[in-house]
Amino acid sequence: LIVPNLYAAWNPKGSSWSFWSHVGIIGGGGSLYYPDGAPVVNRVIAAGMAGVDAAVAAKYGYNAAVTTPFSGMSGDSFTTPAGMLGAYNAAKNKYHFSVFQQSYQICQAIGATFAASDKLSLAVGTRVVESYKRNKINRSTGTDSAHTFIDVDMRAVGVQGIIGVNYRPVSVLNLALTYETVNKMRYKVDVKSNGTDAWGTLSKTLTDSLGMEDGKKFDYDMPHRFMAGATWDVTPDFDLTFAGLLYVNDGLGVDIDTGTNDEHDLRYLNAVAYEIGMGFDLKLTKQIIWSMGFMWDNTNQKDAYMNEVNYHPQAYVLNTGFMFKVNDNLNVSIGF
């Protein structure tokens, strides 16, 4: 519900230089909860149950007296669509899974801007990004209370550069270009839920097969970003803003490698993704400004590789808010 960001800018009196900083959430900033599990997750768990049961049966010479919590989930069930559906329903009716996912990227940026003339300014900066992702699955059998089944954290820290140019050809038009370098993000996996009983064995089997082995490291870089914007002062009290952003995922040193060869190896990423938006500011009084804008975010993901654990959906964002000019030194904004 709340995505905090703090911005600061300082222009020493009489200087052509100014300094700026930003601390906040640059990516992610959300969570998902599936209280009854999710189709792909539940199917993968059901298949894992059959595999664990078959391994235990083979270890003890298929002794009928040796059972596991997953007995009856025969691996043969997964050789046909009908068998797979039957096994999935058997697992669903006996076991209950809930899935929680969370992702956010906190950034700390600092930079400086130089006014080359009354019309042209140049900016340079650097940004440190700390990325955190979590996947947690709770399980229960019958009316038992829920227990943590899978709990995986993935963390990475990376640094990128920022270069900007701002140009005002005439007094009513402002143009801006920004380039942000690739951010090399090397994640480390921390698996918290692997135990020694049958459920623990199943948990480890699933996390390993999905490429989330404890201690594993993998690359998932933040891509190059090119941004352009323009603001046109239509009247002294009304202006229009246009913005575009291009993500370049292919080439240019971007490294995306999870180290697995299954559906989770991120083959769904296309070469580019983009965002396009526009908005306006309207001065209602000397102290109050009303803003509204719209952004279309096209991540350009291939539909064939989208499911509830592996998705980059398109987004249509409508926002509005008010700025209150308290005095010459303080503005307070609220938006939704």
Side-chain angles (χ1 to χ4, degrees), residues 91-309:
K92 183 182 69 172
N93 293 333
K94 184 176 181 180
Y95 306 102
H96 181 266
F97 301 98
S98 63
V99 180
F100 173 80
Q101 297 173 298
Q102 186 178 43
S103 172
Y104 56 83
Q105 294 173 326
I106 299 176
C107 76
Q108 303 166 60
I110 190 170
T113 301
F114 174 68
S117 70
D118 291 340
K119 295 184 175 182
L120 178 67
S121 64
L122 307 172
V124 64
T126 186
R127 179 190 290 130
V128 177
V129 177
E130 300 176 65
S131 181
Y132 170 82
K133 302 177 186 295
R134 186 182 190 188
N135 291 281
K136 183 176 181 180
I137 301 176
N138 288 329
R139 56 91 180 173
S140 59
T141 304
T143 59
D144 292 349
S145 58
H147 300 276
T148 298
F149 172 47
I150 287 179
D151 195 354
V152 180
D153 284 352
M154 292 166 280
R155 299 175 184 266
V157 178
V159 182
Q160 64 186 146
I162 305 169
I163 301 173
V165 178
N166 199 88
Y167 182 60
R168 186 182 289 272
V170 293
S171 61
V172 296
L173 181 63
N174 189 71
L175 306 174
L177 289 172
T178 302
Y179 165 66
E180 297 179 357
T181 67
V182 62
N183 195 335
K184 309 297 288 185
M185 304 292 285
R186 188 162 182 80
Y187 286 83
K188 184 176 181 179
V189 180
D190 180 14
V191 180
K192 307 175 183 297
S193 55
N194 286 344
T196 56
D197 60 359
W199 282 103
T201 301
L202 176 59
S203 175
K204 186 177 187 330
T205 299
L206 293 174
T207 53
D208 288 357
S209 65
L210 293 174
M212 296 187 293
E213 303 96 328
D214 188 41
K216 173 185 174 179
K217 296 181 179 180
F218 66 91
D219 299 310
Y220 195 162
D221 299 343
M222 294 176 63
H224 299 261
R225 299 204 303 178
F226 298 86
M227 287 165 281
T231 297
W232 173 34
D233 297 331
V234 181
T235 73
D237 296 328
F238 179 74
D239 64 56
L240 292 173
T241 295
F242 305 89
L245 188 154
L246 180 69
Y247 299 88
V248 182
N249 297 311
D250 193 22
L252 296 176
V254 176
D255 192 3
I256 299 176
D257 178 20
T258 63
T260 60
N261 296 313
D262 57 15
E263 296 295 313
H264 299 262
D265 67 357
L266 305 180
R267 286 174 293 176
Y268 57 78
L269 284 175
N270 282 339
V272 297
Y274 52 88
E275 298 178 11
I276 301 173
M278 66 176 297
F280 69 81
D281 294 316
L282 177 62
K283 185 180 292 185
L284 301 177
T285 71
K286 290 183 178 180
Q287 280 76 40
I288 301 176
I289 298 175
W290 171 41
S291 299
M292 179 173 283
F294 174 79
M295 178 73 77
W296 173 38
D297 181 358
N298 185 353
T299 52
N300 208 17
Q301 179 178 351
K302 298 175 182 177
D303 292 342
Y305 297 102
M306 187 183 295
N307 57 57
E308 72 272 9
V309 294

Side-chain angles (χ1 to χ4, degrees), residues 57-71:
K59 180 179 179 181
Y60 291 96
Y62 298 95
N63 185 340
V66 179
T67 63
T68 74
F70 323 126
S71 294

Side-chain angles (χ1 to χ4, degrees), residues 14-42:
S15 173
S16 297
W17 288 89
S18 63
F19 304 91
W20 48 267
S21 180
H22 170 220
V23 178
I25 295 179
I26 191 176
S31 61
L32 290 172
Y33 179 60
Y34 301 93
D36 298 312
V40 171
V41 171
N42 292 359

